[in-house]
Amino acid sequence: MTRVLDQQSRYWLLVMPALLLMTVFYVYPLIQVLWISVTEPEPGLGNYAELFTSGFLHKIWWTTTRICTLTTILTVVLGYIVAFAMAHVRERQMTAMMFCILLTFWLSVLIRAFAWVMLLRTNGMINDLLMAIGLTDEPLRLSRNEFGVVVGMVHFMLPLAILPIYANLRGISPSYVSAARGLGASARQAFLGVYLPLSKPGIISATMLVFVFSLGFFITPAILGGGKVVMISEYIRVAFEETLLWGKATMLATSLLFAVLLVLAVVGRFVDLRKVFGAT
Amino acid sequence: MTGSEQPVRSGLSHALSLHSVTKLYGSLAAVDDVSLSIPRGSFLTLLGPSGSGKTTILMAIAGFVQPTRGEIRLDDRVITNVPPDKRNFGMVFQGYALFPHMTVEDNIWFPLKVRGISKARASTAIGEALELVQMGALARRLPSQLSGGQQQRVALARALVFEPDLMLLDEPLSALDKKLRADLQWELKALHRKLGTTFIYVTHDQEEALSMSDEIVILRDGRIEQQGEPGALYEKPATRFVADFLGKSNFLAGKVAGRDAETFTYSVEGTELRQCSTAPVALGENVLVALRPEKIVVARSRPDLPNATVGRIAEFNYYGANYHFKVATPHLGDLIATTPAWNCDVEPALDSEVWLGWSPEAAVVVEDR
């Protein structure tokens, strides 16, 4: 018995440093955020009441949800197409594609956001091109609005969708599609009836990953939105740094956290999250 | 068609023919000028070692591989360019390829579903197919909850539920253990008789080929080496390859020393042996004779047969039903002989002296290739 305990305590000893780090740098600040949200400027749930009363906050939440949903749908659809191609090309092409994807992943978010500003601004490359080929007479408004934010976010999130979907598609044996075709299914029927359902786990992980990331996304919306499109995290920054409403800022941060947990809980009712995150 | 049972769907069976089918991968011919005609309702086996082209031929018939040259016909219709889903062939894949996200029932419904038949309308057909393979009780299971043998049965049911024009089977038993494989051989054969559908079966297992087929096609390096009924192929292999691949054989290489009306004599290292042959042989010609191990008589004293040699037991194996002896002979090298264990004339002991004998009809002259 003592030996068993000894062995257990040895395990705990090994886990201890990590636990300690987590507590000091993660759990403690989190609790403090929660604490401030119910004590500033005065104790109580006053800050949270604003979630229901403030029309301005409603508008921000609505903007955030709308942009995140749109981004998630576009990212997962585009990501699926790229991942599908990667799973079906030869090894050489696959390596090249993977390199390109990881390359954008390694580039700083800031650089990528500014690159999009360059491309999308009123006298940027895209507008010049559109006018040169005569598709439009005057420059289109492509940035400093939701369009620009979504473009930038989709671009940033794509690898997050491609990688889990690709990992999933790689695991689908080609014999399933052959079997479906051999049994009389057209290419379309084989895809919709067999391949797509088998890629569901990849699609779900990608959707969750992208949506949860998008909710808290900050730099790209701030730059490409140009102050015109305010999402929740941008507003939290303003409340923290400029208007110094810490109570409000921490309340929003906490709400954001619960929003993410809510998404996970809802999805968890339908799929095995442990599988999605590769815990099993 | 043996047996008293009348096939239920014999009217639906079709004949298939291949005309000079060639498949090149780069400059390598996986299938090299193969012509083949498979009669209505027969059970034909493509047998060969790996790389012999048997699977490529099956895939070309199924429509997954496009022949570089040649033509495939179902009855009189050319189907070479018809896509797999328009061919209406039932296929059982190696590893079964059951759809893991569907129940047994839904797997079997799938071919009907893609033909626009609702589950309600398909239920009778699904039930019949399940009964046919004795899987009725497990209709709601997922494939992952089934044993290998059960998955195999579901794959069969799925391939035959839509009354296909042909059944194509790609090494369907190779993943199963030996006993189950033997059981399923009986079942497959009974199923074939019952359905009357033309079966094309691919295997590298000679026992499967011999036990089930009406006709066997032996393939080697993308070409047909020999084809015929199992008995004819086993008794009269044309080449060394066939004699050795379909069953086992001892090979005796010698020179023709004399001949009369039905037999000739040949000498191997000074030993005269007598052999029946219908084909003409010339004096002094080199011949290769294949001799089945079970056709050799193993005896304590010299047997009263035209061909006999003495030797010593170099090795022996006991298989319950049989003994396999490896006998070292002074002039004919090592010969393998098998004899029923219950009726064994000699003491199975290493180094003991035994006589081997065989009649001139027991062996067969083969080409040396």
Side-chain angles (χ1 to χ4, degrees), chain A residues 113-126:
Chain A
F114 280 120
W116 276 113
V117 171
M118 290 298 149
L119 286 172
L120 296 172
R121 68 194 168 141
T122 325
N123 51 352
M125 224 166 88
I126 292 174

Side-chain angles (χ1 to χ4, degrees), chain B residues 183-203:
Chain B
D183 289 347
L184 278 163
Q185 284 175 29
W186 292 101
E187 286 180 30
L188 266 177
K189 200 170 172 176
L191 199 64
H192 171 248
R193 201 163 48 227
K194 204 162 171 183
L195 296 175
T197 310
T198 312
F199 273 45
I200 302 176
Y201 190 95
V202 159
T203 185

Side-chain angles (χ1 to χ4, degrees), chain A residues 176 178 181-183 185 189 193, chain B residues 64 85 89 98-99 101 114-115:
Chain A
Y176 294 131
S178 299
R181 295 300 304 278
L183 293 167
Q189 282 170 324
Chain B
F64 294 116
D85 49 301
F89 294 169
L98 295 177
F99 305 132
H101 60 298
V114 298
R115 286 168 173 76

Side-chain angles (χ1 to χ4, degrees), chain A residues 6 37 41 67 79 104 114 117 153 157 175 182 247 265:
Chain A
D6 274 352
S37 75
I67 291 180
T104 63
F114 280 120
V117 171
M153 281 176 68
M157 298 292 175
S175 70

